[in-house]
Amino acid sequence: MRTLFFIVSVLLLSGCSVSHYLNREIKNSAVLSQQHTGVSIKNLNEPKSLASYQDHKYFNPASNTKLFSLYAGLSALGDSIPGLQYLEWGELLLIRGTGDPSLLHPDLPHSKVFDFLKSRKEQIFFTPVNFEDKAFGPGWAWSDYNDEYQPERSPLPVYGNIVRFTGKSGHTLEAKPRIWQKFLLPDTTLTGIQREQGENIFHHSRHPLPENLIQDVPFRTSDALTIHLLSDTLKKEIKLISIPLTIELQTVYSIPSDSLYTRMMQVSDNMLAEQLMLLYASTNGLPLNSEKAIAHATEKYMSDLPDPLIWKDGSGLSRYNLFTPRTIVALLQKIYDKVPRERLFHIMPNGGSTGTLRNTFKGEKPFIFAKTGSFSNNYNLSGYLITKKGKTLLFSFMNNNFTRPSSEVRKEVERILTGIHNKY
């Protein structure tokens, strides 16, 4: 009886010590004193909270939103990405996109869709009528159209919906794919590369360019441009046709799903996250529409989370997204239950080692496996923490509306979480 009492007392004191430590460090922190902070921490597979600080309040998650997109993908997709749907109709091949972003993407594995289209002898027609979305998501900043993190959404992306510019020597710029080379114009008023807002005309500086410059600039998408780029690359004509394909279609699978998930999470790739929600829609027989995909995924897979989701896009670019820390922690448990531990920790950024965490939480081996989420005045970190005693904790540490440099808030989050790693 005394032994049982002692064990229970130790467990209770351990729980209190983490809670006490967390609340003390946040309240005494000069860095976190003038912002909104929310934290939730739980032991893996245990229902009760281990420690919390305003974890019932809503915060803008930024790229922590990708955790929700990841879970949607894990719930709906298999081991391979459905890359294209098609119908063989006599001497014609009718195709439509699934939202798969991998075709000719410069940073993803080679897509089997390319080989499929290259090998076909029929006349190919592309129909985009299943796409019912807008190029930009709700709440996205219009002025970010030129930035590599905000490519447009489309039913059948090619080349990641970006142009990759590489600086060679002096004034020389190389565009990939090469078709964009003739749309480059020198400009005395620029220091970088700037696309005209409404057109695919790219202005670049006349001044000498860095030898190793690599800059990705989103292009303005359209159905006509999609088939033009495909036709040029495949060296065969693809035509546009606007007809619905309502009968059962066959599917070509493109790349392993984990290659998409890993890049999306490691480098926080917004384009992949947005297209993942379109893939979710396609797999569930929905039009390619993010809003409908989010509504479906919320109702089917996430209705049991603690607080209602204010979920507006796949990537977290939208400032309309709002989640509570305790909801994100509950989602982390669902993700852990869905994916084998080794595979999950490979997908997630590893502290001091990979992705957006490679320069933080440095140690002998990674003890943080988590997703960052940041834009102006916001920094969040949610994921899995391994303590020195071998416990696995789920955590969400959210920081909104600060005016300090993000680096200061990031270091404070690192300090507090490292303390929990060392003490618990």
Side-chain angles (χ1 to χ4, degrees):
M1 188 70 178
R2 288 182 178 179
T3 302
L4 178 62
F5 177 78
F6 175 77
I7 293 173
V8 171
S9 298
V10 170
L11 290 173
L12 288 172
L13 286 171
S14 297
C16 291
S17 65
V18 175
S19 179
H20 177 74
Y21 168 80
L22 175 70
N23 281 267
R24 182 192 70 207
E25 294 302 314
I26 291 176
K27 290 178 179 178
N28 293 339
S29 173
V31 174
L32 307 181
S33 63
Q34 211 173 3
Q35 63 173 51
H36 300 306
T37 299
V39 184
S40 182
I41 302 175
K42 289 176 68 175
N43 272 309
L44 181 69
N45 296 324
E46 292 187 7
K48 291 186 178 180
S49 174
L50 185 65
S52 64
Y53 182 87
Q54 299 191 134
D55 71 344
H56 64 293
K57 294 188 176 181
Y58 281 89
F59 292 82
N60 194 307
S63 281
N64 274 197
T65 304
K66 292 182 177 71
L67 289 165
F68 293 82
S69 299
L70 174 65
Y71 186 66
L74 292 169
S75 299
L77 305 179
D79 293 338
S80 298
I81 297 295
L84 191 76
Q85 294 176 326
Y86 68 95
L87 172 66
E88 296 172 332
W89 192 9
E91 296 182 356
L92 306 180
L93 183 71
L94 306 182
I95 65 171
R96 72 178 188 186
T98 60
D100 174 28
S102 67
L103 184 57
L104 300 169
H105 193 293
D107 300 311
L108 289 175
H110 177 75
S111 170
K112 293 179 181 177
V113 169
F114 179 85
D115 300 328
F116 171 80
L117 294 175
K118 186 74 173 175
S119 67
R120 302 301 296 213
K121 305 302 181 184
E122 305 97 325
Q123 173 64 64
I124 302 175
F125 287 84
F126 168 64
T127 176
V129 296
N130 62 326
F131 182 69
E132 297 181 4
D133 223 334
K134 296 180 179 178
F136 284 176
W140 290 13
W142 70 265
S143 57
D144 291 349
Y145 74 90
N146 193 71
D147 295 321
E148 53 85 23
Y149 55 78
Q150 194 167 292
E152 297 183 3
R153 304 185 295 201
S154 66
L156 183 61
V158 286
Y159 293 102
N161 287 350
I162 56 100
V163 185
R164 175 159 292 176
F165 294 101
T166 304
K168 292 301 180 183
S169 59
H171 298 272
T172 304
L173 262 183
E174 181 180 285
K176 292 184 179 179
R178 292 283 299 174
I179 196 171
W180 295 112
Q181 202 74 32
K182 59 186 176 183
F183 296 95
L184 267 170
L185 298 177
D187 194 318
T188 58
T189 64
L190 293 177
T191 56
I193 303 169
Q194 182 76 38
R195 196 197 84 206
E196 292 185 14
Q197 184 181 342
E199 296 184 66
N200 288 317
I201 304 295
F202 302 88
H203 298 261
H204 68 92
S205 174
R206 283 184 178 273
H207 302 294
L209 298 163
E211 187 75 24
N212 298 316
L213 169 74
I214 297 178
Q215 184 175 340
D216 294 341
V217 180
F219 58 74
R220 188 77 189 272
T221 61
S222 69
D223 299 327
L225 178 57
T226 294
I227 62 170
H228 180 66
L229 289 172
L230 273 179
S231 297
D232 181 74
T233 304
L234 293 167
K235 307 304 180 188
K236 63 168 65 178
E237 184 182 25
I238 297 178
K239 295 183 178 179
L240 186 64
I241 188 171
S242 294
I243 60 170
L245 299 178
T246 56
I247 64 174
E248 186 174 351
L249 305 175
Q250 298 186 70
T251 301
V252 182
Y253 290 86
S254 58
I255 62 172
S257 299
D258 276 10
S259 60
L260 188 155
Y261 299 148
T262 301
R263 179 167 178 82
M264 178 183 78
M265 301 300 284
Q266 293 277 337
V267 303
S268 202
D269 192 305
N270 295 323
M271 188 264 189
L272 300 189
E274 293 300 328
Q275 297 296 143
L276 178 57
M277 292 312 299
L278 298 184
L279 278 163
Y280 176 93
S282 176
T283 302
N284 284 280
L286 302 170
L288 301 186
N289 180 280
S290 296
E291 183 178 0
K292 292 179 180 179
I294 288 170
H296 187 280
T298 299
E299 181 179 357
K300 186 170 183 180
Y301 296 110
M302 305 180 212
S303 60
D304 58 343
L305 294 174
D307 302 295
L309 307 183
I310 313 301
W311 183 11
K312 299 299 182 182
D313 69 2
S315 63
L317 279 169
S318 176
R319 288 183 183 259
Y320 298 160
N321 294 310
L322 292 171
F323 304 126
T324 66
R326 67 186 182 186
T327 289
I328 293 180
V329 162
L331 177 74
L332 289 166
Q333 179 68 63
K334 291 169 75 71
I335 293 172
Y336 191 94
D337 293 341
K338 180 75 68 174
V339 184
R341 181 186 180 99
E342 185 176 347
R343 176 186 170 200
L344 174 58
F345 286 2
H346 176 75
I347 290 171
M348 300 288 285
N350 294 190
S353 179
T354 61
T356 54
L357 292 181
R358 64 186 178 277
N359 294 320
T360 54
F361 298 100
K362 293 184 176 181
E364 291 183 6
K365 63 179 182 178
F367 64 87
I368 289 280
F369 305 85
K371 183 73 197 76
T372 55
S374 59
F375 42 49
S376 300
N377 317 110
N378 292 267
Y379 176 75
N380 311 297
L381 186 66
S382 300
Y384 308 91
L385 185 157
I386 312 301
T387 72
K388 281 193 172 181
K389 295 181 180 179
K391 293 182 178 291
T392 301
L393 307 184
L394 317 175
F395 74 90
S396 180
F397 201 137
M398 308 189 78
N399 304 273
N400 282 193
N401 296 0
F402 53 77
T403 58
R404 292 174 174 270
S406 293
S407 59
E408 294 183 15
V409 177
R410 185 172 63 251
K411 288 178 181 177
E412 189 71 344
V413 169
E414 180 180 7
R415 181 186 70 80
I416 293 172
L417 290 178
T418 300
I420 292 174
H421 163 72
N422 291 329
K423 295 174 185 294
Y424 186 56

